[in-house]
Amino acid sequence: MNDTPPDEDWRGYWLGRLDDDAAARLECRLLADDRAVDALREALTDLHDDYAREQLTVAEHAAFRDRVLRVSAEARARQRFAQAMKPLPEASRRAPRPAAAARAARRPSWTLLAGALIAAALALTLSLNRHWLAPAADAGGAAVPVRDAAAPTVLLLAPPASGPAAPVQLALDPRAVELRVQAEIRPLEPGRRYRLRVLATAATDEAPALFEATDLPVQPLGDGQFVEARVPAPALLGETRRLRVDALPPAAAFHAEWTVLAPVSRTPPIALPAP
Amino acid sequence: MSPEAVARLAPRLQALFAVHRPPAVAAALTAEALRRAEALPDDAAAEAIHAIARALLEADDSAPAPVPDAELDALEAAPDPALRKALRLGLARLGTDAARLLLGYYGFGADGGGDTAASRQQRRSQLAVRFGLDPSALRGRALALREQLEAEVAALAAAADPR
């Protein structure tokens, strides 16, 4: 995220790494340009998050603690927020430790995630057999949305009234077993239920689906109404797919569609914080 | 200095003073700095205004007393469950689009936050493309949403606190 000139070290400014002249230059920049104000605020927010995630060096940790947290009640309140935003591993109560040692121990969060995904895969074996790459005629049964923060969540907003939705690019972890796909329904017809299908790009609307979940109820989420289905990651990973939602019965007028691109990537997808 | 120039300068001065002082003191220093800068032309050099701001900071002796280590150590303990509950409520109230932008921008993924500076920059660039915004606009929106959520969560947590 860099429209900031490379000589603007706002992070260094907060941590007291700049000499007086460099700090004065940055402060003058602050007084001349609103983008510098945003860069300053962003550097501080990122420091709060890095502190919470134990991703600061020992020196940075000490500097942030002494220069910001120790002298500002507002900063301490923001730090509590940053700590709360951090997804919580099960073994969460630990004494503060130097950041260098903490970095070496950071990887257990991947182990916990891998364990959760394996457990989810075992629990869903029957469902996978039924839905994974099965022709639409054999697929069926409702995918009951459950609140399980282990599966990454993909939010698909309703396409615009005129024209198709912009393609949605997902950064899927290749180790992901399944995704919670939440597709917005707008306009909403009370009482309707919906079908969600994953189709190959070139397939017709009624071609056999790579994945299908049917009889989906609408659920509120924030200020929108969504249907949710658990889509096996292989149905999406590495390919361009059409993800289509139809109102039931199939003859009903409503449908919405997204083009989903999911190249293989190590960047985890967006997900809501764990409970 | 014209009212328009004052309106542009005020939030920038507030941001500068807020680095060094609590919000209320920063607001008072901002007001005083603007009063002193009244006689400057609209296109006054930033250095002139900076000199006023620096003089006010050096003369101000209201810096808050530092808190002890124990209070800072408590920040690194597991978060309050009530705060996390308030956070989930606050995210839901933001709306899906806003929550999606916020969580994506700040990298609150399911992996526990394995963010680096490089991956953060890449993720934000991709997000700007996905949302069809230029990087500055996306940054501004993410910052505003985060402030809104922080305020919402603080209010929810305070309302739930029986003390």
Side-chain angles (χ1 to χ4, degrees), chain A residues 90-114:
Chain A
E90 289 307 307
S92 61
R93 292 197 174 270
R94 54 183 180 269
R97 52 190 173 178
R103 279 206 306 275
R106 196 169 65 233
R107 287 304 160 192
S109 63
W110 281 111
T111 303
L112 288 168
L113 175 63

Side-chain angles (χ1 to χ4, degrees), chain A residues 98-247:
Chain A
R103 279 206 306 275
R106 196 169 65 233
R107 287 304 160 192
S109 63
W110 281 111
T111 303
L112 288 168
L113 175 63
L117 290 174
I118 290 169
L122 289 172
L124 290 169
T125 298
L126 287 176
S127 298
L128 290 174
N129 286 340
R130 193 167 59 174
H131 293 296
W132 185 3
L133 299 180
D138 293 335
V144 179
V146 294
R147 292 203 173 277
D148 177 356
T153 302
V154 176
L155 304 173
L156 300 174
L157 300 179
S162 59
V168 176
Q169 180 149 347
L170 307 178
L172 286 185
D173 189 324
R175 291 167 291 178
V177 173
E178 63 173 12
L179 292 87
R180 293 170 62 202
V181 176
Q182 297 173 334
E184 186 179 19
I185 304 299
R186 183 154 46 91
L188 180 67
E189 286 185 69
R192 281 261 185 228
R193 295 173 84 90
Y194 295 82
R195 174 181 67 176
L196 183 151
R197 291 182 298 151
V198 177
L199 301 163
T201 310
T204 63
D205 293 349
E206 294 310 315
L210 300 170
F211 168 81
E212 177 172 315
T214 192
D215 199 33
L216 302 175
V218 172
Q219 300 181 73
L221 179 65
D223 60 1
Q225 303 287 334
F226 288 78
V227 295
E228 177 175 314
R230 290 177 168 270
V231 179
L236 293 170
L237 191 64
E239 302 286 345
T240 301
R241 298 291 187 219
R242 296 169 54 209
L243 197 148
R244 182 180 170 102
V245 173
D246 297 278

Side-chain angles (χ1 to χ4, degrees), chain A residues 10-28:
Chain A
W10 291 109
R11 191 175 176 95
Y13 178 76
W14 282 110
L15 296 175
R17 293 194 298 226
L18 305 184
D19 60 35
D20 288 349
D21 287 344
R25 279 195 298 274
L26 280 193
E27 289 175 352
C28 287

Side-chain angles (χ1 to χ4, degrees), chain A residues 1-4 13-14 24 27-28 30-35 37-42 45-46 49-51 53 55 61 65 69-71 74 76 78 80-88 92 96 109-110 155 157 169 221-223 226 268 270-274, chain B residues 9 12-13 15-16 19-20 23 46-47 49-50 54 64 66-69 71-73 75-76 78-79 83-84 87-88 91-92 95-97 100 103-109 111-115 120-121 124-125 130 135-136 139-140 143 146-147 149-150 153:
Chain A
M1 188 67 225
N2 222 350
D3 61 338
T4 306
Y13 178 76
W14 282 110
E27 289 175 352
C28 287
L30 197 61
L31 295 171
D33 188 348
D34 288 336
R35 288 175 300 175
V37 174
D38 280 354
L40 173 78
R41 293 163 63 203
E42 178 167 275
T45 303
D46 289 343
D49 290 342
D50 289 345
Y51 188 95
R53 293 166 180 169
Q55 289 179 334
H61 183 273
R65 189 173 157 105
L69 297 179
R70 196 180 294 278
V71 297
E74 187 192 21
R76 292 192 291 276
R78 295 199 71 204
R80 286 184 206 98
F81 176 91
Q83 300 286 140
M85 280 296 286
K86 182 181 68 171
L88 201 60
S92 61
S109 63
W110 281 111
L155 304 173
L157 300 179
Q169 180 149 347
L221 179 65
D223 60 1
F226 288 78
I270 296 166
L272 294 174
Chain B
L9 189 54
R12 298 171 188 173
L13 280 166
L16 171 58
V19 173
H20 304 281
E47 286 78 7
I49 300 166
H50 181 250
R54 267 289 152 197
V67 299
D69 282 350
E71 188 166 340
L72 300 183
D73 291 346
L75 291 174
E76 299 183 27
L83 190 60
R84 287 179 68 83
L87 177 59
R88 291 189 70 82
L91 277 168
T96 311
D97 199 9
R100 182 181 169 206
L103 296 173
Y105 194 84
Y106 292 108
F108 293 113
D111 69 338
D115 222 5
R120 174 182 283 154
Q121 185 172 331
R124 289 173 176 175
S125 296
R130 187 190 300 191
S136 288
R139 167 191 284 164
L143 285 168
R146 179 137 178 177
E147 280 185 13
L149 181 62
E150 289 183 11
V153 168

